[in-house]
Amino acid sequence: GQMVQLDAATGSIEHVFDTVPSGCTGASVWGSPTLDLPNDVMYFGTGNAGSCSQQELYGDTVIELRLSDLSLVHSWTIPVSEQVHDGDFGSTPVLFKATINGIVTPLVGILNKSGRFYALPRDNISNGPVWQARVGNGGNCPQCGTGNISPPAWDGSVLYIGSGTTTINGKSCEGSVRAVNPTDGH
């Protein structure tokens, strides 16, 4: 339940961001953070909230922190109506750009174990997704073909998203890599 910044030379802890209150478990950080160096921020996703006597704000959440001190910039949590059992963000986010309504828009995207990929505006991820796309059937067992945890990739024009079991053109597939339009998720 933490993101920790270390001094590379000494290994000493410089800053800590807690995703859960002290003494609680949950909102684990599964993937590597994605760094946006020109904007001095990082993005990462978290797993489910745990069972704690205190409120856990960052379960199933995409978090943006300032690189200099790990202070919170923005966060977005999957709405309760879209949450699934054990629906962690078990992937690493990807930075990409899309032309939306004629404007080049910097986005950050991340895959959830629910099988949904979320594309959020980097200028304020708290506003929620610009678009979302179902790329897998979802579930809680990545080793069984459900519970999508593959990190996406961006080649400068096409977004690539891998997933577990899915249906493409009416045919069931045990896994896939999709080339996705960064503007709208198609």
Side-chain angles (χ1 to χ4, degrees), residues 75-119:
S75 67
W76 177 78
T77 302
I78 296 177
V80 173
S81 62
E82 294 179 22
Q83 290 183 10
V84 298
H85 171 71
D86 199 26
D88 309 283
F89 280 112
S91 179
T92 296
V94 63
L95 303 179
F96 64 103
K97 294 180 182 179
T99 302
I100 301 174
N101 299 324
I103 300 169
V104 176
T105 306
L107 300 170
V108 58
I110 189 167
L111 185 60
N112 186 268
K113 281 173 51 184
S114 67
R116 290 190 185 276
F117 180 87
Y118 295 93

Side-chain angles (χ1 to χ4, degrees), residues 31-155:
S32 300
T34 297
L35 307 181
D36 182 351
L37 295 176
N39 292 306
D40 188 42
V41 295
M42 74 164 60
Y43 300 91
F44 62 95
T46 66
N48 304 315
S51 55
C52 182
S53 61
Q54 301 174 54
Q55 184 179 17
E56 293 187 19
L57 300 176
Y58 300 116
D60 295 327
T61 299
V62 181
I63 297 175
E64 178 184 3
L65 301 180
R66 191 153 325 284
L67 288 174
S68 57
D69 61 4
L70 296 190
S71 61
L72 180 67
V73 178
H74 296 287
S75 67
W76 177 78
T77 302
I78 296 177
V80 173
S81 62
E82 294 179 22
Q83 290 183 10
V84 298
H85 171 71
D86 199 26
D88 309 283
F89 280 112
S91 179
T92 296
V94 63
L95 303 179
F96 64 103
K97 294 180 182 179
T99 302
I100 301 174
N101 299 324
I103 300 169
V104 176
T105 306
L107 300 170
V108 58
I110 189 167
L111 185 60
N112 186 268
K113 281 173 51 184
S114 67
R116 290 190 185 276
F117 180 87
Y118 295 93
L120 302 148
R122 278 193 261 166
D123 64 350
N124 188 349
I125 64 172
S126 298
N127 288 338
V130 172
W131 58 263
Q132 58 182 285
R134 178 164 295 285
V135 297
N137 293 343
N140 62 0
C141 184
Q143 67 274 25
C144 305
T146 65
N148 305 275
I149 60 172
S150 300
W154 167 248
D155 72 1

Side-chain angles (χ1 to χ4, degrees), residues 162-185:
S163 74
T165 304
T166 190
T167 303
I168 301 174
N169 297 326
K171 181 178 178 174
S172 180
C173 304
E174 290 189 19
S176 72
V177 175
R178 297 176 191 240
V180 176
N181 182 328
T183 301
D184 58 13

